[in-house]
Amino acid sequence: MNLKKLIQGLDIVSCEGETNREITSIHYDSRKCQKNSMFIAINGFNTDGHEYISEAIENGATTILYKNEVNKKQSHITYIKVKNSRLAMATLSNRFYDYPSKKMKLIGITGTNGKTTISFLLGEIFKQWGVKLGIIGTLGNYLGETLYKGTHTTPESVDLQQILHQINEEHIPYTVMEVSSHSLELNRVEDTNFDIGIFTNLSQDHLDFHKNFQNYFQAKAKLFHMTDKANIINGDDIYGEKLISLSKGREIPVYSYGIKNNCDFVAKNIKIDNKGAFFTVNIENNSEGFYINIPGIFSIYNALAAIVLAYTEGIPLEITRKALSNLPGVPGRFEMLDTNTPYGIIIDYAHTPAGLENILKTIREFSKGNVIVVFGCGGDRDKGKRPIMGEVAGLYADFMIITSDNPRNEEPLSIIKDIVPGIKKTGKPYKIIEDRKSAIKSALAIGKKDDIILIAGKGHERYQIIQNEIIPFDEKKIINQLLGEGEVDAKDD
């Protein structure tokens, strides 16, 4: 694309060099630059892109877009300075890929918990409907049945627009995207055309980034000013109620769902066991029954969001009903392992106070024995939630093993010490085992008949982040290895 056309209307501070040149690709990673590409220097959480401008040029970049000062400039390179490089990157990416979101129906899901599960529920519904669906989120990017690995819940704007463009190339008419608060605050989804927004809930997470709940909420709320067809909102959540009030001024329909409040779609006649949940919803004056193969009240909320979306799109109720009952589960979300042990083992991604509370409450409802939980908290993230996680675990579990999660650049024991005060408030017994594999082994060793062991925090992740290293760590494989090699003697008494 011609550079002069590409940067037209951009908020430019200064421009040095030739603008009548072709740009073949746009990158924020200098290693991916090639001949005639544009390199955009952005400030990341750990690195500053301005430090890699020389490397980008060596790899073929002929245009550099930046925000901070650049001291050494080369005469054959075009240098464009802007006020906000992330915002500029979103604008340029949309233009470069010819505004791909306008050529599909794009559904954005935001909230602290439930985004991934709702995406998978919708994936099964659309599959049963016979319509291809793209999914962009925590577990990767699905183009129909093909999975591509991702690095963020919501990709950086260049990657996002490239993925949306690829979805168009595959003739996939719908896309569901998990929209993180980071992506909304950091302009990753700027200029993206959303048709429908779904709000799940808001609980403590990411306050290391947002600083307070008001900022966190305002970041999430941005999505619901970017939609142009409809908004679907959890009316039982206090922030959902606020969002409904804020959405009333817009000329698009707002559909609320819930269990307790007077919502448009309300789940009633709820029955939950250790296999799943049944409930009814009044739709067009008929009481419609649904069953989902994931236990818990939180699963009903997730199912409701999917049901409402399907209804607004005119998907027959029989298809939605069949899809919800067919989906075996979501990787790393209340995943009950088949281990032939006298106790149950569940892996879940729960890494927030609300997420941990939801799953422990559900387990407590059907557990006939003790509830044992292995968990930790991530490093370089919201420290305020650590003692809250400890207190939640102590309230609902019988025994806790506190361990390492993704410590990143923090000392694991320092993170664990932040969790312990919350547990002590409950007076429940606990053990500290820093090494996560050893912690899992200890839990398996003390588990008895009818107990439930919850391994929380990592779910679908197959790695640990220690310092700047990504180390393979597949909990399902580790559990099977510990049990299969006889390292753990499962107790029947």
Side-chain angles (χ1 to χ4, degrees), residues 431-447:
K431 182 189 293 186
I432 293 173
I433 302 178
E434 180 183 343
D435 178 70
R436 194 170 179 94
K437 181 178 179 180
S438 298
I440 293 171
K441 181 178 180 180
S442 177
L444 299 181
I446 63 175

Side-chain angles (χ1 to χ4, degrees), residues 33 65 224 243 279 295 402 430 451 456:
C33 287
L65 188 138
F224 301 90
L243 204 53
F279 58 97
I402 318 305
Y430 69 93
D451 288 351

Side-chain angles (χ1 to χ4, degrees), residues 126-303:
F126 276 77
K127 181 181 177 182
Q128 295 291 338
W129 195 30
V131 176
K132 286 186 176 181
L133 178 74
I135 299 177
I136 300 172
T138 306
L139 299 187
N141 308 312
Y142 286 83
L143 276 64
E145 298 294 317
T146 307
L147 172 63
Y148 298 88
K149 288 185 178 180
T151 56
H152 300 291
T153 296
T154 312
E156 289 285 1
S157 57
V158 173
D159 303 323
L160 173 60
Q161 300 309 322
Q162 191 274 331
I163 293 165
L164 293 175
H165 171 73
Q166 191 176 351
I167 289 172
N168 281 329
E169 292 289 296
E170 297 284 339
H171 305 291
I172 298 172
Y174 283 84
T175 297
V176 173
M177 185 198 308
E178 294 182 46
V179 185
S180 68
S181 57
H182 284 75
S183 71
L184 289 157
E185 198 66 23
L186 296 173
N187 306 117
R188 290 178 192 164
V189 295
E190 199 75 27
D191 290 336
T192 301
N193 187 72
F194 289 94
D195 292 273
I196 298 172
I198 298 175
F199 176 82
T200 64
N201 49 59
L202 201 70
S203 63
Q204 180 154 350
D205 200 15
H206 306 306
L207 296 192
D208 55 312
F209 178 76
H210 295 289
K211 307 306 179 188
N212 56 58
F213 260 103
Q214 185 59 28
N215 292 344
Y216 188 24
F217 171 69
Q218 287 177 345
K220 295 286 190 186
K222 288 180 181 180
L223 173 64
F224 301 90
H225 296 283
M226 300 170 69
T227 52
D228 57 17
K229 295 292 189 301
N231 286 328
I232 298 168
I233 298 171
N234 178 357
D236 284 352
D237 186 89
I238 184 171
Y239 289 97
E241 290 182 289
K242 289 184 180 182
L243 204 53
I244 290 169
S245 297
L246 291 173
S247 299
K248 284 180 179 177
R250 302 197 60 210
E251 294 181 358
I252 62 172
V254 177
Y255 301 99
S256 61
Y257 66 90
I259 297 173
K260 297 176 289 186
N261 291 340
N262 185 25
C263 299
D264 299 316
F265 295 81
V266 180
K268 296 180 178 180
N269 304 312
I270 294 169
K271 297 175 183 177
I272 299 173
D273 58 26
N274 64 335
K275 300 294 183 183
F278 172 84
F279 58 97
T280 62
V281 183
N282 193 346
I283 300 175
E284 296 182 351
N285 296 320
N286 291 317
S287 181
E288 304 287 349
F290 297 91
Y291 182 83
I292 180 171
N293 291 310
I294 308 171
I297 289 291
F298 63 93
S299 294
I300 295 174
Y301 278 105
N302 294 335

Side-chain angles (χ1 to χ4, degrees), residues 63 70 107 113 134 156 254 260 265 273 335 373 401:
T63 301
V70 177
I107 302 153
N113 306 109
E156 289 285 1
V254 177
K260 297 176 289 186
F265 295 81
D273 58 26
E335 190 170 357
V373 59
I401 300 177

